[in-house]
Each structure stands twice: as C-alpha cells, then as structure tokens.
Amino acid sequence: MRGAESSLRRAGRRALIGMATLLVAGALAVTSSAGGPGPAGRGSRADAATPTPPNSSYGIVDAAGGVMTFGGAAYSGDTIGYTLAKPIVGATANPGGGYWLVASDGGIFAFGGAQFWGSTGGLRLNKPIVAMAATGDGGGYWLVASDGGIFAYGDAQFYGSTGAIALNKPIVGMAATPDGAGYWLVASDGGIFAYGDAQFYGSTGAIQLNKPIVGMAATPDGAGYWLVASDGGIFTYGDAQFYGSTGGLNLNQPIVGMARTPDGGGYWLVAQDAGVFTYGDAQFSGSAQSPLHPPLFPGILSNPIPPVVTIMNEATGPQAAHAGGLRVAFTGDSEALYEGQYIQNSSPPYGVDNGAAAGCGFTNGAAIDEWSDLGPIYINPGACAFWADQLQWVVSRFHPDVTVIQTGYWETQIRQFNGNWETLANADYAYYIKSNLEAAVRIAHSDGAAVVLSTAPYYADGTPNDLVDAYNSIVEGVASEFPYVSVDDVHTDLDPGGAYQDVIDGIVTRGPDGVHVTQGAVDYLIAPGLNQIIGNVASAVYSGAA
C-alpha cells in the first residue's frame, strides 16, 4: 500500500503546483418582463434564517435583477429566469417588508410586502430611469430619470423636478425625507436639488471631484445626507457623520451604491464586482462576490455574473420560494461540475446554477498525494480553503430550492492532515471530513433549501475501493442526521454489482481518466433518479413545510 510510505519519502518529493480550471456558473441568462408587478412568491421557505441585528442585514442587487441577501435579510424574489426589456438600475426596500426593483425603462418589479403602484414601463421616456425611493409607509415610490424627471406613484407626491432644467451633469440618485413629503436628487458632480420638505445642506457641485458621485443616502431624521463617489469617497452634510471611505484604496471595480444602517450610525458601500465595504456600525455579513473568482482562483466564468447596481438595507425575515419554477444548485468539485453541466444540457424541469469548483473538495486546500500518480504532490490552489464561503455565495446568490452536493474524489486521496499524510482509514481524518460535510449541509440549507448528497462512484485511477466505501458511509451517516437531506446513490448507478464499470448497457459511463462521468451516464443512469428526488424534496420547500 502506498499509504505505508514514510513521511520522509513523501516530503522529499518535488511539489508540483496544480492549477485546476474553475468554472463557476454565475447568474442564468436572467430575464423578466418589465412594466408590471414582479413575479409573486409562493410562500416562505422552511427553516427561515435566524434573525440578526438590522445593521447586519442587506441585499445586493445586480443588473439582471438577482437579489443576494446576507445577514438574515429577507429574500422575497427576483427576476432571474424572466426576460427583462431593460437592465435593473436600482432598488429600494419596503419599510413593511419586501422590496422593489426598477429597470432603466421604469419597469417596476415588486416582491414580498412591496406593492405595485405603477411604472413607466409602457411610456416613452426622454431619458432612462436611474434610481428610485419609497415613501415612509411604503404606500408609494418615486422614480427619477437622468434628466431629473420625477414619476410619482401610490401615495408619493410630486414636489418638483429638474426635467426642464439644463443640468451640468446627469442625475444619478435620490433619497426621500422620512415623512415622504420631499426628496433630494443628486447629480454626478454632486449637485443637490431639494424638493418638498427636503432641506439643502450642501453639495459638491462646486468642488473638483476625483471621481463622479454615484449615489446618496439620507440620515434617519432627514437632517443630513451622505454622497458617495465611484472611488468610494464619502461627502457628509447636515447631521450625517463621516465613518470612513474607500477613497484611499485601490479598488478592483468602482463603487456603485450605498445604504445606511437603520440608526444612521454607519453605512455600506458596494462595488460593481459585489465587493462590500462597511463603516461605522454597519456589519459585514457576506459578499455577492464568489471567493473563488479571479484573482484568488485563475479561471473563466462560463456565465459572467451581471454587474452589481446597488445595495439596500432590509429587515431580516423568511426566505421566500420564488416563481418561475424550481432552482437547483450543484456544488462540490469537478464531479459536481460535470454532472451539473450535463444535467443542464438535458433541459431539466428546473433552473441550474453550477457553483462547483474543479480541483476543490471540502478539505480546505490541503496537499494531495494522488493514488493515480505515484510521486508528484498536487497542491490545491489556496482559494480551495474558501469552499464554505463559495457554498454560501451559491446559496445567497441563487436561492436554490434544492442544493446537490457532490464530492468525494479529493476526500478519498492521500491528504496532508495534522502534519501527516492520511486517508479515510485514519479515524481523525474521517471525522474531519464528516464535520466538513455536515457544515456544508447546514450552509446549503441556510436559505431553507432541501439538500441532496451524492455518493461517490469507484474510480479507475488506483483509488482503493475501500476508501470510496468509507466516504459513502460518511455520506449516508451525515444524511441520516438531517431531515431535509436525501441521498442520490450515484455509486449504485455507476457501479452495479459493486464493481467499477465504464460501460453499462452499451453506455460509456466514464471519461478517459476513469474518474469523471459522461453525458450519456448522466442522461440515462443518473438524471432519472436525481430528478425524481429533486421533485419529491422540493415540494416541501415551496409549501413552506418543515
């Protein structure tokens, strides 16, 4: 057995840095009809997220209408899976729960407790819509165009606009006063226009800015406001306090929006790449940026993620089931990556998000001495240690109804563990893998989704079958601990009779490496059973049942 080789012999080998290809599928080609109310949810998810302080919960919105919630912020729906006439450019939370998204044509999408009061989706606009704000009671909202034209709906009143004024720079944002009896508009040069009971406290209109203003937020009492520039520079007026900025940082992507905490003691800034920056009492609860994206992990996204457009503070609450059919996420290593891609190719009765990362299991990036290659040591890219963050990103971004977790190859190799080379034959290492799998299940279910654990098949690369059996025993044991976890027995599908087979009923089941499955194996041997499991377990999620 190679496992009997001494640590000295292993340590003397030449370390080879293996760089695996990362293919993280971002948003589906996301689309929705503009001009009307957004798709309504179908009830709440089971086991809603545990409430957290209001200065920890926020939602990040991208141009496709994806709503990524963090810190227990309520998820009420999104426009993923619908055809958008124009991209989403803004969003605002409803004080009574839910939120609105607005597209550049003024199409409004209302979710949760937010009501649809009207839109400009069917109007011919002089200039595109750039932002929106809601009244204090959530009974209405304003839309503002880049020329400062104001469109008021519900109990929102029209107090004035710059639509007939020749502006030096276009309007880029707005904020409402607490009583809803006024609002401010801000231009990209920081010029402020106040209407109704909104007071003018100052502006950057006469200042030479390093970067243009991209948004604003008002203080809770309406006696001040913050302006934020695309470099994250913060400008405070009235009773707004300065808590910090990214003005001195070298950002990967520009800042696109800001939101204040409920008490006004801090604020969040969000960049176009979903980077989140917190100041004052604003807490960081996560980012809609995959931790395995470049530059941490070199690779190419198969479906680029739409740019982020804004961030909104919203109350904690349940994770609603969404309209538009089931969503299923695939997570794990390249086995999950291949299976997810092949499932997607087969036009399944659900949307697919492939959040798997080739070359990364749930072993925190530990070095591997593969059974298939006597000698060289494979060192995981350091980003593989972020598997838990990657899985949380998949859940927070896609809000799947079912998450399929498939891994096992890397877990059954010889791994560096506690300074030694170990396999699943070592009880401590086996417990470590079990603990990580339990953690993965809890993360996958954190949004209320059902979870499917896949067993691992035998491999033709020299990996001992007894180690695969040991891993599958862990899978079965973990599944028995949680009522929302089911098992997809891929091992039985691909290894009938308890032996590795690369051809079953004339179907070639494995690729040349003897590890990865084929499209045919997924179509004829895996998908039928997996789809049935998904259909069975997802129904409880939609009904909100435990």
Side-chain angles (χ1 to χ4, degrees):
M1 288 285 291
R2 297 177 59 228
E5 292 182 322
S6 69
S7 297
L8 285 175
R9 183 177 178 187
R10 295 185 187 284
R13 294 175 180 164
R14 181 170 59 93
L16 301 179
I17 307 298
M19 302 306 288
T21 301
L22 170 67
L23 293 173
V24 178
L28 301 174
V30 181
T31 55
S32 182
S33 60
R42 290 200 267 173
S44 296
R45 294 292 186 87
D47 297 350
T50 301
T52 53
N55 61 348
S56 300
S57 59
Y58 48 85
I60 298 173
V61 181
D62 66 29
V67 178
M68 297 141 279
T69 56
F70 298 91
Y75 168 74
S76 301
D78 57 35
T79 58
I80 289 180
Y82 294 81
T83 302
L84 288 175
K86 295 290 183 178
I88 298 298
V89 293
T92 190
N94 175 32
Y99 42 78
W100 296 274
L101 309 182
V102 62
S104 64
D105 62 355
I108 290 288
F109 305 88
F111 299 94
Q115 300 296 306
F116 175 76
W117 303 112
S119 77
T120 64
L123 301 180
R124 183 178 180 84
L125 301 174
N126 293 326
K127 294 291 183 178
I129 299 297
V130 293
M132 73 179 298
T135 58
D137 62 0
Y141 44 74
W142 298 272
L143 312 182
V144 63
S146 64
D147 61 358
I150 292 287
F151 304 88
Y153 298 96
D155 64 2
Q157 301 297 307
F158 177 80
Y159 297 109
S161 76
T162 63
I165 299 176
L167 299 173
N168 293 326
K169 294 293 182 179
I171 299 297
V172 293
M174 75 178 299
T177 58
D179 61 3
Y183 44 76
W184 297 272
L185 309 182
V186 63
S188 64
D189 62 358
I192 292 287
F193 304 87
Y195 298 95
D197 66 357
Q199 300 297 307
F200 178 79
Y201 296 107
S203 76
T204 62
I207 299 175
Q208 182 69 35
L209 299 173
N210 293 326
K211 294 292 182 179
I213 299 298
V214 294
M216 71 178 299
T219 58
D221 61 2
Y225 43 75
W226 297 270
L227 310 183
V228 62
S230 65
D231 62 356
I234 293 287
F235 303 88
T236 62
Y237 298 95
D239 65 358
Q241 300 297 307
F242 178 79
Y243 298 109
S245 77
T246 63
L249 300 181
N250 186 18
L251 300 174
N252 292 325
Q253 293 291 327
I255 298 297
V256 293
M258 74 177 300
R260 66 161 172 83
T261 57
D263 63 3
Y267 42 76
W268 296 273
L269 308 183
V270 67
Q272 191 174 65
D273 62 357
V276 173
F277 305 88
T278 62
Y279 299 96
D281 65 1
Q283 301 296 309
F284 179 79
S285 298
S287 168
Q289 185 178 46
S290 165
L292 299 189
H293 283 183
L296 285 178
F297 196 119
I300 301 172
L301 295 179
S302 58
N303 288 310
I305 298 171
V308 166
V309 297
T310 194
I311 186 170
M312 56 184 177
N313 172 230
E314 58 166 327
T316 58
Q319 309 301 300
H322 39 68
L326 295 174
R327 295 181 186 175
V328 177
F330 286 81
T331 64
D333 58 18
S334 58
E335 293 179 277
L337 181 70
Y338 275 70
E339 182 174 302
Q341 289 178 337
Y342 292 152
I343 287 283
Q344 193 165 24
N345 291 343
S346 66
S347 301
Y350 45 78
V352 172
D353 180 71
N354 203 331
C360 291
F362 293 160
T363 53
N364 296 346
I368 311 160
D369 194 359
E370 294 178 273
W371 297 99
S372 59
D373 193 353
L374 183 62
I377 297 172
Y378 176 86
I379 300 178
N380 287 81
C384 286
F386 293 95
W387 65 264
D389 296 317
Q390 169 69 9
L391 180 52
Q392 185 62 66
W393 170 76
V394 171
V395 171
S396 297
R397 189 185 194 292
F398 194 62
H399 303 281
D401 299 291
V402 181
T403 298
V404 178
I405 298 175
Q406 185 182 54
T407 185
Y409 178 76
W410 299 114
E411 287 73 7
T412 57
Q413 303 303 300
I414 306 171
R415 305 302 303 252
Q416 196 166 63
F417 177 73
N418 288 342
N420 298 310
W421 292 95
E422 305 289 359
T423 72
L424 288 173
N426 177 279
D428 290 338
Y429 176 65
Y431 180 79
Y432 165 75
I433 292 298
K434 176 176 178 287
S435 298
N436 280 358
L437 196 56
E438 289 168 336
V441 164
R442 292 188 181 97
I443 295 170
H445 182 63
S446 62
D447 205 30
V451 180
V452 177
L453 290 179
S454 295
T455 58
Y458 290 149
Y459 307 113
D461 69 336
T463 303
N465 288 354
D466 61 341
L467 295 182
V468 176
D469 292 337
Y471 176 77
N472 289 340
S473 179
I474 291 173
V475 168
E476 295 284 353
V478 170
S480 69
E481 299 173 19
F482 304 94
Y484 48 82
V485 176
S486 302
V487 174
D488 179 29
D489 196 357
V490 172
H491 169 54
T492 296
D493 293 337
L494 299 185
D495 304 319
Y500 174 89
Q501 297 188 40
D502 53 14
V503 177
I504 300 174
D505 296 333
I507 300 167
V508 176
T509 63
R510 306 299 186 91
D513 60 6
V515 174
H516 296 99
V517 298
T518 64
Q519 180 77 59
V522 170
D523 288 346
Y524 298 104
L525 302 174
I526 297 175
L530 178 58
N531 289 346
Q532 184 173 354
I533 293 172
I534 289 171
N536 291 340
V537 300
S539 60
V541 177
Y542 269 101
S543 67

